[in-house]
Structure formats: structure tokens, C-alpha cells
Amino acid sequence: MSDSRPLPLGEIPRWDAEHEVVVVGQGVAGGAAAIEAARAGADTVVLERMTRGGGATSLSTGITYFGAGTEIQRACGFEDSVEDMEDFVALAAGEQADPERIRLYCEGSLDHFQWFRDLGVEYKATFIEEKTTHPFTDDCLTYSGNEEAWPHSARARPVPRGHKPAREGEAGGYLMEAVLRGTLEAGASVVNECRAERLVVDGTRVVGVAARREREPFLVKASRGVVLATGGFVFNDEMLAKHAPHLIQCNYKVGTAGDDGSGINMGVAAGGEAINMSEGLVLNAYYPPASHLKGVLVDGQGQRFVNEDSYLGRTSDAILTKADGCAYLVVDDEIHGRTQAFHKLAAVEGSFEELEKALDLPTGSLVRTMTYYNEGAARGEDPLFHKAAKYLKPLVEPPFGALDCSTDASFFGVFTLGGLSVRATGEVLDAGGEPVPGLFAAGRCTAGLCREGRSYASGLSIGDGSFFGRLAGRAAARSEPWS
Ligand SMILES: Cc1cc2nc3c(=O)[nH]c(=O)nc-3n(C[C@H](O)[C@H](O)[C@H](O)COP(=O)(O)OP(=O)(O)OC[C@H]3O[C@@H](n4cnc5c(N)ncnc54)[C@H](O)[C@@H]3O)c2cc1C
């Protein structure tokens, strides 16, 4: 791992560039921070290690979590309010979440939606009926988390809040192009192929960045503040092994090579604290097709362990933590379809007895599970996990198949949710809860809005990074100058 220790000011021979605010990383969080810092009047530069900004955001679907009654929600016939949104976001953010962040995020949601529209991002006033993970069309509004699934549905009024920009396929690149354009329009400058390696400190105060630009040292003074926005650490195997070893069994890293934890390590070395480091979002997409939500997910003992209609962050976490990584989705011919992750059928048999034997499950286990499930489904009930009635269908017509959703047989995506401890306004905090002077952070390199993969909703990463990136940029721009 590279040396992240801060460089004392005395060891700096000269500054190669001098700015008020230096933003490190140009994904959605860094982009938002740079736009707001520049709009607040600060001379702002963005250092980005790649030839072009975008980061993981530009690879993403672009779904962003907005609510409280956006124009799109209203046009699609959904009522929402700050309070309803807060009820749900508090659940989605998890027990360790920061209530202040939740409140600010929900209260500021309408304004934040408009911020993206003002950057030129278009959204179509259409609702996506079918539960999906990656909408392929240019339609917009979707239930992107556990809103309709128990137990969330019993604790917060279900409202769709995932907003996908009006582009077919993955729309993150389109959204990021608007942010990149907006950064230049706001007056910030961008230096590409420039990798930040260490922070520069005067005592405990962060005063600049020691970077490498096209392999040459590049020392940049930040008279007001540095904003770290470098993404997460899923591409750093050493950090994963140390902080989140259970995530190593996931076989697909969701992000870019930039997610190597560099910002987290620089921040910690300068006195910041890293928290929530064991948490990640795990993704095993056995739906779409939505018909698979009518299937029955069992573990290696033939037992159900979660309601199958939950958001995939919850079901995938349950496969890892409750089913020890071994799970099958039992389907019949009518509901079986091809998944985007190309799940394979572990077995197809004419009865549950035969299926149980083919999967090597304990004798009688699957038969009992399916008998009990089918009895409930026939009454429109799921007494164990309260799956929504629209997904309850007795599976009685053979043949029956078992889609292999095990960690060693199917596609498990993962990205990390831990990072620097920050105030909602972006100041990086030390272990005593005090700000590290001159240092700010936003996006996936922080422990942000959502602290738990099992409760996460799609759109909370882009929503969190952009919303709190904006606040971090503003806070850096108005922080006391160092000279
Ligand atoms: C396929 C896919 C689909 C997704 N879909 C969604 C979705 O629909 N909705 C949603 O909310 N989230 C989604 N996500 C997750 C989401 O995109 C990311 O978590 C989020 O965009 C991260 O934003 P960020 O600004 O923190 O990091 P990034 O967008 O990754 O930006 C970080 C930037 O920092 C740069 N960088 C890193 N280290 C350095 C350094 N030392 N010096 C200089 N530059 C550096 C990187 O090159 C990168 O450009 C998806 C992710 C993927 C990959």
C-alpha cells in the first residue's frame, strides 16, 4: 500500500499550484463539492486521477433518491412529504445512521432535485410498474428499495422515490456529463491524470495536497480546505481483508480502480477517523424478472430466511449472513425467466421430494417448507415473512426448478459503505468528534447517509454523495483561510 502519511509543510520545496479549495476526485460527490465551492466564490480546483472524471458514478444506472413530492412523483400520482420520506430514509439508512443527515437530506430533497435539473439532467414523468434493479428504458420513477417490502412497508408509507434520468440503459454517464459540464461552468478548474497521494499539513491543519501528475510530483496549496471525494475501498483487497472480510466472498467489485481507499487512508493519516468499515452493499440480482419474486428462497437446510420481495441488498445480505452463502430460489415454469446475472438452474425435477434430493437438502425439509408456503400463499398470506400478496402464488405445477443463488455459483456484486467520519456539512472528524482543520470529505469515502447494505435503497449513493458533496464544498469555501 502506498504511503498515506501527511507531508509536513516544511518538507514542501514549492507549490506547483495555489487554490482556495482543492477537491480530490471527480465523481458525483467531488463534482457537487466543486460546483458549490466555486459558486460560493472560492478559487477551486479538482484533481482527478483518471483521464476524465466520472468515477463509479459514470458507470452507474444513475438512479437518485429524491422525494417529498417531486414534480415526477406528483405527475405519476404519488403523494409524498418530507415526513413520509424521513420515516423511510431513517429505516433505509440503518440503526447507526446520523439523524441530522437524514433530516437535512429529506428537507432538502426538492431543492436537490431542482439542482440536477438546473444542471440539465432530464427526467421523464413516467412510473416503472414492475419491480426491477436496472431499468433499461428511459422511464423514471421506481420503488428502488424496500419501500413495499415488509418490515419497512409496515413502518413507513410506501412511496417510490428512485428517479432515473431520461436515458435508456445505464444513465449514470449522462448524469455525470451534466456534473462535469456544470463544474467548468461554475468556474472550477480540473486537472486530470493527477493522483493525490498525501495531504500536506501545517501542524494539525491540512493545507494542501501532494499529488502525482503524469508521474511527476504536483504540490497544490489549499488555503481554505481540501475535500476528499475519492470513492470507496472495494478495490483494495488489503483493506477489505482487514475491515470487511465477509465481503471478500463476493465475486464482483462494483466500482472502479479508483475505489482503492486512498482518500480514506489519507484522511485517517491526517487525524480523521474511519467508521462503519465492515459494511457493504451486496447484490445478487435474482430479479428481474419480477415473476421471480413469486419464487421461494431457501437455504442449504431447505428453510426460508427472508421475504423474497425485499430489495436485493436485503436478500443478498441474508444469503450471506443467514444462509451462510448457500441459497436456491425455487420456481415453477410459469415464473421462471432469465436473470440479468444469468443465474443457473441447480436442478429441475418433477416434485419437491426429488428437488430436495437433487439439491442434497435434509430429507423432508423442502417438502415441508413448500407445503407450508403453498398453504399460506393459497390464502394470500405469508405468516413467516409477510411477502406482499401480489407476489404470493402457490407453486403446485411441476416441473420445479432451483435457481442457484449461492455465493460460489452466482454473481455477487459488492461495494463498501464505510469511510471517514464526517459532519453532515462535510468536516472530517477525529476519534474525539473534533474536526480536522482544513479537511472535508463526501461520497463513498465517507460513512455517509446509509450505513447498512441490508436496508439500502438504490439512489442513496448518488443522492448522498451529491447532496452532502454540495454541503462539503460550501463549508470548505467559507472556512477560515490559512496563509
Ligand atoms: C454499475 C453500477 C451501478 C450503480 N447504480 C447506482 C444507482 O443507480 N444509484 C446510486 O445511487 N448508486 C449506484 N451505484 C453506486 C454509485 O454509483 C457510487 O457509489 C457513487 O456514485 C460513488 O460516488 P463518489 O463520488 O463517492 O465516487 P466516484 O464516482 O467513484 O468518484 C470518485 C473519483 O475519485 C477519483 N479518485 C480516486 N482516488 C483518487 C486520488 N487519490 N486522486 C485523484 N482522484 C482520485 C476516481 O478516479 C473517481 O473519478 C452504482 C455503481 C455501479 C458501479
Side-chain angles (χ1 to χ4, degrees):
M1 204 187 296
S2 62
D3 186 0
S4 307
R5 284 172 304 161
L7 209 54
L9 182 64
E11 292 182 26
I12 299 291
R14 54 160 208 291
W15 294 112
D16 295 305
E18 300 192 16
H19 297 272
E20 290 179 292
V21 174
V22 178
V23 177
V24 183
Q26 201 183 20
V28 80
I35 290 173
E36 290 298 305
R39 284 183 184 170
D43 169 12
T44 302
V45 69
V46 189
L47 311 181
E48 165 56 49
R49 64 176 258 177
M50 303 291 181
T51 46
R52 187 163 172 73
T57 317
S58 62
L59 303 180
S60 77
T61 313
I63 296 172
T64 310
Y65 210 81
F66 301 116
T70 65
E71 203 177 302
I72 305 294
Q73 287 179 309
R74 283 184 281 117
C76 294
F78 293 97
E79 265 184 41
D80 198 6
S81 65
V82 172
E83 294 72 28
D84 279 334
M85 185 180 180
E86 229 177 302
D87 286 347
F88 179 77
V89 172
L91 296 174
E95 285 174 10
Q96 299 302 317
D98 171 7
E100 172 74 350
R101 293 176 89 81
I102 295 167
R103 184 183 63 76
L104 288 172
Y105 186 76
C106 298
E107 285 178 2
S109 189
L110 287 181
D111 167 75
H112 195 46
F113 180 59
Q114 191 57 42
W115 186 84
F116 274 102
R117 296 186 73 163
D118 291 343
L119 286 179
V121 182
E122 294 169 359
Y123 300 89
K124 213 166 130 180
T126 46
F127 173 57
I128 302 165
E129 289 273 349
E130 199 164 278
K131 193 168 169 73
T132 182
T133 53
H134 291 66
F136 285 132
T137 64
D138 62 355
D139 294 303
C140 180
L141 193 62
T142 173
Y143 282 104
S144 62
N146 284 304
E147 294 88 349
E148 289 188 298
W150 184 86
H152 290 62
S153 57
R155 295 167 62 191
R157 195 172 67 79
V159 178
R161 300 190 184 90
H163 288 63
K164 187 191 173 208
R167 284 295 177 278
E168 289 180 1
E170 306 289 15
Y174 161 72
L175 177 136
M176 252 335 280
E177 286 306 315
V179 173
L180 298 185
R181 214 170 38 240
T183 305
L184 297 178
E185 283 169 9
S189 53
V190 180
V191 183
N192 284 108
E193 296 185 44
C194 183
R195 183 197 294 237
E197 293 182 333
R198 300 168 75 172
L199 296 168
V200 181
V201 290
D202 180 11
T204 55
R205 173 161 183 149
V206 173
V207 297
V209 174
R212 205 158 273 278
R213 183 184 187 189
E214 293 166 13
R215 305 222 177 105
E216 293 300 317
F218 188 61
L219 301 165
V220 193
K221 176 176 163 182
S223 61
R224 288 186 188 269
V226 172
V227 183
L228 296 170
T230 50
F233 64 94
V234 75
F235 274 78
N236 185 323
D237 289 341
E238 212 176 298
M239 286 178 78
L240 272 187
K242 184 171 172 191
H243 300 290
H246 65 293
L247 300 181
I248 290 175
Q249 63 191 301
C250 298
N251 47 27
Y252 186 82
K253 295 168 191 289
V254 176
T256 73
D259 290 302
D260 64 357
S262 64
I264 299 173
N265 289 331
M266 283 187 274
V268 168
E273 189 185 17
I275 58 170
N276 209 43
M277 293 290 280
S278 62
E279 282 291 335
L281 175 68
V282 180
L283 302 161
N284 180 260
Y286 61 71
Y287 73 90
S291 58
H292 279 181
L293 303 171
K294 296 178 182 166
V296 176
L297 196 60
V298 296
D299 62 13
Q301 308 299 315
Q303 308 297 314
R304 286 178 74 213
F305 53 93
V306 68
N307 39 326
E308 297 81 358
D309 61 343
S310 302
Y311 175 65
L312 73 165
R314 181 159 184 263
T315 51
S316 309
D317 175 82
I319 292 174
L320 247 58
T321 59
K322 295 188 176 176
D324 285 334
C326 174
Y328 304 102
L329 184 77
V330 178
V331 294
D332 67 9
D333 246 0
E334 189 191 326
I335 64 171
H336 178 229
R338 179 193 269 233
T339 67
Q340 288 171 2
F342 304 108
H343 284 78
K344 297 190 189 80
L345 281 165
V348 180
E349 301 289 346
S351 70
F352 294 126
E353 285 89 345
E354 289 165 309
L355 196 62
E356 182 179 282
K357 209 177 265 177
L359 298 175
D360 206 18
L361 303 178
T363 308
S365 61
L366 185 65
V367 172
R368 282 191 204 107
T369 293
M370 292 309 300
T371 304
Y372 185 70
Y373 176 85
N374 281 342
E375 282 170 7
R379 298 191 308 270
E381 286 172 19
D382 171 16
L384 281 185
F385 294 108
H386 311 282
K387 179 150 91 171
K390 66 179 170 185
Y391 298 122
L392 287 170
K393 159 192 140 80
L395 300 182
V396 288
E397 284 295 324
F400 304 110
L403 233 64
D404 203 336
C405 300
S406 305
T407 47
D408 61 359
S410 57
F411 176 97
F412 269 75
V414 64
F415 64 78
T416 56
L417 293 175
L420 294 166
S421 171
V422 281
R423 276 198 188 138
T425 39
E427 293 87 352
V428 172
L429 300 174
D430 66 17
E434 291 299 319
V436 177
L439 189 60
F440 303 81
R444 274 280 74 86
C445 68
T446 67
L449 182 64
C450 178
R451 300 281 171 90
E452 281 176 7
R454 62 185 174 277
S455 55
Y456 181 91
S458 264
L460 282 179
S461 288
I462 294 177
D464 172 9
S466 52
F467 186 86
F468 293 101
R470 289 175 64 200
L471 299 196
R474 278 187 222 153
R478 62 166 185 262
S479 97
E480 277 302 307
W482 165 88
S483 55

